[in-house]
Amino acid sequence: MTVNAKELEFILDNTPSEQNIMLVGKHGIGKSRILEEYFADKNAKVVTLFLGQMSDPGDLIGLPEKNENTGKTDFMLPYWFPTDGQPVVLFLDELNRARPEVLQTIMDLTLNRKLAGKSLPAGSRIISAVNNGNEYQLTDLDPALVSRFNIYEFAPTVEDWLDWARKNQIDARIISFIDENPEFLDSDEVYSSENLERSPDRRSWERVSKIICKFETLSSLHQPLVSGIIGNRATSIFFDFVKSHHLPSVEKLLTGDFAENKKLLEDLTFSDFTQINEAIFRWGEKFSSQANIDNHTNVMNAEEKAAVGKNLTAYFDWLADNNKKELQAHFASLVSASDYPDFLNFILEYAPTLYKKLLELSDDLSSS
């Protein structure tokens, strides 16, 4: 039986710290990220050890040294070992990529919470993540080691990823595309080591977002750049999707007659609106940036700026009037992002009522 993100959170909430957990799943689905974010929310210290990168047990348990008092050999504590007595979450990533001699060291750690005779602080947890499938170069795990874990096959849903993507400002064009084409979130294609053709996964879409978020429009120059991240087929279909989705012009919405242009907002999907929200902030940052002002590029006079401020407020109020509270929340979440400082100053000066509403909504969201 597979578990999704919500079910995994319930498992983590209700599993005693002395019981080890192993997450099994394919690469790129967010095993590491969801664990790191979950424990960060709990203010827990997470120590991540990439076992597949360790060449011998010394990388894990530390180097031997002579104890001058006893004349016996001790092991120097590794850099990660907690010395303050506070519990840690020890995340053993790539467990089934570890060398057999490293796995032998893990045996005592997972059973007795000890490493070279030294105990982890009380309340510490051990969680591992492994890839499964014939396409990976893996080490067979000893049944005795496997028996020390509660094992869950982690398969987060598309909805899990979409929720995460909206909260983490993934480019709205990608969110819209995956919302309508969920089969491209994770590829089931398996490639041999001789065939290095890329295919999409959740991790690669995040990388695409970091690249294209800077561009209001995508051109043919962007296509080969993206294809190296998600592959030719997914890139071709994604770019066709972006070209065919003609959303209302943000500039037209904010500089024209909003009472007339608001009809352009009818019949749009949730993902369309998230794309518009992000486009508003990107466009606003561009025209209000100090660099453009200094270079007299796209400079508006005071009357034009006041009109933009009025339309911004009208757009935000329109979302409320049309029962789109989640989209208001998405709009407000962009205020806390560090990518739009000049536009936020513009809103403060030319749309102070909107700025107050955004701060109030942001405070409500952070306290809920």
Side-chain angles (χ1 to χ4, degrees), residues 24-29 31 130-132 135-136 154 186-188:
V24 181
K26 63 184 298 184
H27 69 279
I29 60 174
K31 298 188 297 294
V130 302
N131 296 329
N132 65 335
E135 67 269 33
Y136 304 109
F154 183 48
D186 300 299
S187 173
D188 291 328

Side-chain angles (χ1 to χ4, degrees), residues 346-359:
F346 173 89
I347 294 175
L348 178 61
E349 183 174 357
Y350 290 97
T353 302
L354 172 61
Y355 193 85
K356 182 179 179 180
K357 292 178 180 179
L358 292 173
L359 290 181

Side-chain angles (χ1 to χ4, degrees), residues 293-304:
I293 293 174
D294 293 342
N295 294 325
H296 305 289
T297 303
N298 298 324
V299 176
M300 295 183 178
N301 59 39
E303 183 178 349
E304 291 170 329

